[in-house]
Amino acid sequence: MNLIITTKRTSLGWTVDAALTALGWMAFFYLFTRGVVSIVHAGGIQPMPSLLDPAVTPLVPTLQTLALYLLVACFNALVVVAWGRYHKRLFRRLKLIRSADAVDEEELASHFHLSCNQLHEIQGSRVTVIYHSNDGAIAQLETDQLRMQPAGNSPVFHTVKVA
């Protein structure tokens, strides 16, 4: 089945997405390493004393924060893996269902009261403007190549080149 409308992701959108993702990861690693460095400098290389020792008590909140960061990271990784596997299975099933009930181009064109030529024109154009009548039917189509009336609304449709 061919889609009537397809959109491509712009390079600006991709760049913004990549920059924000990189910024988020850099912030995470900065905070994580800063916490680890503070633990190392505060405790030194000596063996870890008991957590009940008053000298270690200031380190407990930092250790708890780092443990929480690690727990959140593991949870996020688990959610992303589960989501990916779920969608892989879901879309495999949907693809099988859709392929069995695939709509041919003649049926798609008749559903929108268009000729097959008009449907191909819409699918092949980069820009399409669709005007609707008050009852919701397609009144006029303007593509980057042709301007035409749909076949269902008029026995004769006119084609005009658009500059």
Side-chain angles (χ1 to χ4, degrees):
M1 180 171 157
N2 293 331
L3 297 175
I4 293 176
I5 299 173
T6 58
T7 56
K8 290 179 82 175
R9 191 171 179 188
T10 64
S11 58
L12 177 66
W14 183 89
T15 304
V16 168
D17 186 33
L20 289 176
T21 301
L23 183 67
W25 277 108
M26 287 187 316
F28 172 76
F29 285 120
Y30 171 75
L31 292 172
F32 187 78
T33 54
R34 187 165 174 171
V36 169
V37 167
S38 69
I39 289 175
V40 169
H41 284 300
I45 312 266
Q46 304 153 5
M48 187 75 170
S50 169
L51 289 178
L52 299 177
D53 185 15
V56 180
T57 306
L59 294 178
V60 173
T62 305
L63 290 173
Q64 290 173 346
T65 303
L66 289 175
L68 182 64
Y69 286 168
L70 186 61
L71 182 66
V72 168
C74 290
F75 177 74
N76 286 341
L78 180 67
V79 167
V80 167
V81 168
W83 178 82
R85 288 185 182 213
Y86 167 74
H87 278 277
K88 185 176 180 181
R89 288 182 182 156
L90 174 74
F91 286 117
R92 186 181 326 140
R93 290 180 192 151
L94 287 177
K95 189 174 181 180
L96 292 174
I97 291 170
R98 285 184 185 167
S99 65
D101 298 336
V103 179
D104 63 346
E105 290 184 357
E106 290 180 16
E107 186 177 342
L108 182 63
S110 67
H111 177 74
F112 290 106
H113 304 289
L114 299 170
S115 67
C116 287
N117 290 339
Q118 289 172 322
L119 182 64
H120 288 290
E121 180 69 28
I122 292 170
Q123 290 171 337
S125 70
R126 293 184 318 179
V127 178
T128 301
V129 180
I130 302 174
Y131 297 98
H132 294 276
S133 63
N134 290 337
D135 64 349
I138 297 175
Q140 184 177 353
L141 298 171
E142 289 182 19
T143 64
D144 54 353
Q145 297 175 1
L146 295 176
R147 187 178 289 177
M148 59 182 95
Q149 297 287 331
N153 293 352
S154 171
V156 178
F157 52 94
H158 308 281
T159 59
V160 179
K161 282 281 187 190
V162 176

